[in-house]
Amino acid sequence: MTLDDQAIAILRGNDRGGFTIPTRGLYPYQWNWDSAFVALGFAAFDRPRAWAEVTTVLEGQWPDGMVPSILFRRDDPDYFPGPRRWGANLGPIPSTGVSQPPVLSTAVRLLAGEDDADRLDNIFDKLLAWHNWYHTARTFDGVIATVHPWETGRDNCPDWNIGLDAMEVAPDLAPYERMDNKHVDASFRPSQAQYDRYLTIIQAGQQVGWDQARLTTEGPFLMADPNINFVLLRADRDLFTLAERLGRDQTVRNKIQGWIAKGEAASDRLWNDQLGGYAARDLHSGRFSDGFTNASALCFYAGVGAPEQRARTLQNIRRIGERVQYMLPSWDPDAQDFEPQRYWCGPIWPQMNFMIAMGLREQGEAQLADRMQSDLTRLIEASGFWECFNPVTGAGCVGSDFSWTAAMWLAWLSPSWLTRVA
Ligand code: GLC
């Protein structure tokens, strides 16, 4: 089978009828930002199916506008923490009580062709409500905040240690049994101490009845993530384009423009001058994380940064490029805690390379963009469609037959594919 055929077979195999699971076993539900990337993959060979992925992820939207990170359409006892542990039933489908990076509007913009006006019209207000939720319930002091590392999509990055170390584990934390370590090698996965804290935040969400504004201001964890901030800023720009395309009124356009201005202004709050890069920051203490991550490199994708900030960011990317075989690791190889095979502590993530390369190319850094693209191509050719990859050895990590990796192949990497969206 060619890699194109394998990628299609993976997406078809992970299709559960209008929505796609990331991989069998480890992740048996629909994940929010996974679906945005997966839609781009389907678009290369089945456009109606691509739109179905967009529609189904929005089906789980809460009345307050939040689109949850996971939709638990039916309980799967093989996954923990599932719907009962979250106890987050404010939406039409049982779900988690946190969101994920809002890539969807950007994916929709890439997807939408001339004859998709009706489809766009059907979902525009939902996208707008979701962005609005980020700009209200999840905004703290002008910056988009995150209340749980799992909301960032970069679940176990050392970036979150500052916030996690500063919080207490709930003394009455209900006992639990992890399932993730049953599916994959424990050396890939988060530690027990971290897991206790992840579950403490979930308990705090329940205690405020999943009132998201309260969870933001009163919860035990409050950090700002360059991934969410930059993905949202980009998505706001794309939503604005969609609003223009649909001829939405001036009030809507002004609102989105206000969000864009806010996002641009907030970016400096994430600038760690000592590191010479954008970094995660604890919003209670003001402390910065001190590692350069693949999310730091998304400033190009978001279109932010003064010339000096961009130059220093590029210096960091080049420094790291000399330290690893494959670009761009999820955690700084020169920082403490670099572990090339552990979840978000080093591995390369296909969907991150895609966004980073898109931004670099748009901002005139074609050579580095080419490297992000060709490194991922080499990884998939050598190792297959893994969830993520060891940047030093190129070995595949965590889940295999992975949907977003297959999708990135079809939408972006495949040399033979003519209908690529990106
Ligand atoms: C892991 C990743 C997250 C992803 C999910 C499903 O939790 O950290 O970003 O959405 O798996 O693939």
Side-chain angles (χ1 to χ4, degrees), residues 22 27 31 33-34 100 153-155 343-344 349 387 402 404:
Y27 305 130
W31 260 258
W33 72 326
D34 295 60
Q100 252 191 341
R154 305 188 298 126
D155 301 28
Y343 238 53
W344 293 100
W349 297 75
E387 176 173 0
F402 214 82
W404 66 23

Side-chain angles (χ1 to χ4, degrees), residues 307-358:
E308 199 213 323
Q309 289 168 317
R310 291 183 181 200
R312 293 184 69 193
T313 299
L314 290 171
Q315 265 170 24
N316 270 308
I317 297 177
R318 295 205 173 91
R319 165 180 63 78
I320 292 170
E322 281 165 20
R323 299 274 282 104
V324 294
Q325 290 295 319
Y326 304 92
M327 292 274 264
L328 181 69
S330 44
W331 181 245
D332 198 323
D334 288 319
Q336 241 190 339
D337 300 327
F338 177 72
E339 288 184 83
Q341 90 294 359
R342 192 186 289 276
Y343 238 53
W344 293 100
C345 300
I348 286 170
W349 297 75
Q351 84 289 8
M352 296 297 291
N353 268 34
F354 170 71
M355 292 188 291
I356 295 164
M358 185 185 283

Side-chain angles (χ1 to χ4, degrees), residues 34-342:
D34 295 60
S35 282
F37 298 108
V38 160
L40 296 178
F42 272 119
F45 64 98
D46 185 344
R47 289 181 60 78
R49 183 59 190 78
W51 280 103
E53 194 75 27
V54 171
T55 313
T56 53
V57 75
L58 289 169
E59 275 170 10
Q61 185 163 41
W62 285 21
D64 66 1
M66 184 185 79
V67 182
S69 62
I70 311 175
L71 298 179
F72 303 122
R73 284 199 164 74
R74 56 177 169 71
D75 195 1
D76 186 327
D78 232 19
Y79 182 85
F80 180 85
R84 258 164 304 158
R85 185 72 181 207
W86 278 91
N89 288 325
L90 299 193
I93 300 171
S95 69
T96 60
V98 296
S99 196
Q100 252 191 341
V103 186
L104 199 62
S105 299
T106 298
V108 164
R109 185 188 167 183
L110 289 170
L111 204 62
E114 293 293 311
D115 47 359
D116 288 318
D118 288 348
R119 285 170 163 148
L120 269 186
D121 197 46
N122 286 337
I123 58 165
F124 181 85
D125 288 343
K126 294 181 180 158
L127 295 172
L128 185 74
W130 185 19
H131 289 218
N132 184 61
W133 174 84
Y134 263 118
H135 286 291
T136 52
R138 272 295 184 272
T139 292
F140 184 87
D141 202 12
V143 183
I144 307 296
T146 185
V147 299
H148 196 303
W150 293 348
E151 188 161 81
T152 69
R154 305 188 298 126
D155 301 28
N156 184 45
C157 184
D159 268 346
W160 314 127
N161 290 348
I162 305 169
L164 291 173
D165 290 348
M167 64 177 271
E168 304 283 333
V169 174
D172 59 345
L173 187 66
Y176 64 94
E177 195 189 342
R178 285 174 70 167
M179 298 301 289
D180 57 320
N181 284 340
K182 301 210 161 96
H183 291 287
V184 292
D185 189 330
S187 69
F188 291 152
R189 300 287 310 177
S191 74
Q192 199 56 40
Q194 281 173 330
Y195 235 80
D196 283 350
R197 285 170 172 78
Y198 298 150
L199 293 174
T200 294
I201 305 173
I202 294 176
Q203 201 155 296
Q206 286 166 4
Q207 276 159 4
V208 294
W210 292 107
D211 174 330
Q212 296 289 346
R214 282 189 63 194
L215 182 57
T216 303
T217 49
E218 298 169 30
F221 181 95
L222 188 70
M223 291 191 70
D225 173 26
N227 195 30
I228 291 187
N229 277 271
F230 290 156
V231 163
L232 179 62
L233 178 49
R234 168 79 188 215
D236 281 337
R237 298 189 201 280
D238 289 326
L239 193 68
F240 184 81
T241 304
L242 296 178
E244 283 190 316
R245 203 180 290 178
L246 288 170
R248 291 292 156 126
D249 64 38
Q250 199 58 42
T251 334
V252 169
R253 294 191 223 176
N254 288 348
K255 190 174 186 149
I256 303 173
Q257 265 174 335
W259 293 339
I260 294 169
K262 171 191 164 203
E264 287 172 344
S267 66
D268 269 344
R269 305 266 300 281
L270 298 183
W271 177 256
N272 178 343
D273 202 45
Q274 212 174 344
L275 174 70
Y278 295 94
R281 187 168 196 187
D282 189 301
L283 292 176
H284 285 308
S285 66
R287 264 187 71 191
F288 273 115
S289 173
D290 56 7
F292 190 93
T293 67
N294 48 4
S296 310
L298 287 178
C299 57
F300 300 98
Y301 175 84
V304 296
E308 199 213 323
Q309 289 168 317
R310 291 183 181 200
R312 293 184 69 193
T313 299
L314 290 171
Q315 265 170 24
N316 270 308
I317 297 177
R318 295 205 173 91
R319 165 180 63 78
I320 292 170
E322 281 165 20
R323 299 274 282 104
V324 294
Q325 290 295 319
Y326 304 92
M327 292 274 264
L328 181 69
S330 44
W331 181 245
D332 198 323
D334 288 319
Q336 241 190 339
D337 300 327
F338 177 72
E339 288 184 83
Q341 90 294 359
R342 192 186 289 276

